[in-house]
Amino acid sequence: MYDTVLVPTDGSDHAIRAAEHGSYLALLFDATVHVVTVGDVADVDHRAAGGDVEATTTDGETPAAIDTEASAAIDTVTGVLGETVEVETAVLEGTPEEAILGYADENDIDLLAMGTHGRTGVHRYVTGSVTESVVRHATAPVLTVRAVEDSRVGGSYDDVLVPTDGSNEAGRAVEHGLAIAKAAGATVHVVNVVDVAGLGASPEYTTPTSVLADLESSGESAADAIADRARDAGLEARTAVRHGSPGWELLDYAEEFDVDLITMGTAGRSGIDRFLLGSTTERLIRHADVPVVAVNAVDSGSE
């Protein structure tokens, strides 16, 4: 599934945590890890325009200070990776999103691993806004993670959460979730959320029982189909259909069942079962205490 894993870094704790997960997945799939950092030239030029005469060199090359910081950021991550995986490194120039996405395309990267927060200043591309931009535009899946206690790699992934609404877009994320679970020997949790609030035009509206029954039945069928695929692959699987706000329900489920990883799409059905749309995926990216693998279901050329 994964032959190459890209880890952009600014040396922050969040980037290091992403590198830990990237390294773990690289070991599972015998992949090469690419560690890169970006010298944001546009940000340097902006500082120079503001009166920082040392912000850029006269010949337009990247200043020594940026090179030093970039090397330190890469060294910090490669130190975490150790000698257990094959590693390639690079210092990129340009705007962070474009540099990261360009490198991923040019090097046929299969998975990116990024922190959702990072340092401010020149190397601030691991902050949430840039990570989310990469998630929206990358053709390869993007693992995002925050540096919190529950996001540590605890030896292995024992439980993988795969949300589904039965759409084809969700199917791409399912493939990645099952592949990771297979490699890790994890239990697969397949969850469908019926967005009850989204069914009514006003708080006074009560959803007919027959409609709820149909949605629950559809959700169960979608979840069972994926669970059957997991079991056919020799994995343990469990299913659940829940009611409520999809984003918060998925976060609650992940906490309740000590989930180690969530895989979901960045696009899905419109309407009542739209929890695979970007807004909800981004909610999980921002708030989940465990890594989220976001799989872009939209081809880059179709936007």
Side-chain angles (χ1 to χ4, degrees):
M1 175 64 72
Y2 308 125
D3 294 322
T4 51
V5 177
L6 174 60
V7 180
T9 180
D10 61 358
S12 68
D13 290 342
H14 298 277
I16 293 171
R17 185 59 50 82
E20 293 170 354
H21 285 276
S23 176
Y24 170 70
L25 288 169
L27 286 171
L28 287 182
F29 292 94
D30 192 25
T32 298
V33 178
H34 294 243
V35 181
V36 302
T37 192
V38 181
D40 191 345
V41 176
D43 187 57
V44 174
D45 292 340
H46 175 74
R47 288 162 55 208
D52 185 349
V53 296
E54 297 182 353
T56 185
T57 58
T58 56
D59 58 4
E61 294 181 353
T62 304
I66 294 180
D67 285 338
T68 300
E69 186 177 352
S71 297
I74 288 179
D75 289 345
T76 299
V77 166
T78 54
V80 171
L81 299 176
E83 300 179 354
T84 56
V85 296
E86 182 178 349
V87 179
E88 296 184 13
T89 65
V91 177
L92 312 178
E93 292 185 8
T95 60
E97 298 97 323
E98 293 178 355
I100 293 168
L101 291 169
Y103 186 94
D105 288 340
E106 292 169 6
N107 292 274
D108 295 323
I109 296 299
D110 298 315
L111 176 74
L112 294 86
M114 300 182 68
T116 57
H117 298 280
R119 290 176 178 166
T120 58
V122 177
H123 296 289
R124 59 185 178 185
Y125 61 86
V126 189
T127 54
S129 60
V130 176
T131 297
E132 289 173 8
S133 179
V134 171
V135 168
R136 285 192 292 269
H137 296 98
T139 55
V142 183
L143 178 148
T144 63
V145 63
R146 297 187 299 136
V148 296
E149 184 63 30
D150 288 344
S151 71
R152 294 183 182 278
V153 181
S156 65
Y157 294 157
D158 296 322
D159 295 271
V160 173
L161 171 58
V162 180
T164 183
D165 62 359
S167 66
N168 291 331
E169 290 84 359
R172 285 196 60 193
V174 169
E175 293 175 6
H176 289 271
L178 295 185
I180 294 172
K182 177 68 174 179
T187 296
V188 177
H189 297 251
V190 189
V191 179
N192 174 275
V193 180
V194 177
D195 187 358
V196 179
L199 294 173
S202 68
E204 292 77 18
Y205 176 81
T206 301
T207 305
T209 302
S210 60
V211 173
L212 283 177
D214 288 343
L215 292 173
E216 289 173 354
S217 178
S218 177
E220 289 172 358
S221 296
D224 287 342
I226 296 170
D228 287 342
R229 289 174 56 185
R231 295 182 183 115
D232 288 343
L235 297 171
E236 182 179 347
R238 60 188 306 168
T239 64
V241 175
R242 293 198 167 192
H243 294 178
S245 172
W248 297 122
E249 284 297 325
L250 294 173
L251 289 169
D252 288 344
Y253 187 97
E255 181 178 1
E256 181 179 349
F257 290 93
D258 293 325
V259 165
D260 299 299
L261 180 78
I262 303 170
T263 64
M264 61 190 305
T266 59
R269 286 178 177 166
S270 58
I272 52 180
D273 281 322
R274 60 186 181 183
F275 65 85
L276 296 186
L277 287 172
S279 60
T280 302
T281 302
E282 288 176 5
R283 175 173 292 175
L284 266 70
I285 288 172
R286 293 170 183 166
H287 297 287
D289 287 339
V290 298
V292 177
V293 174
V295 181
N296 194 338
V298 180
D299 292 336
S300 59
S302 65
E303 293 184 355

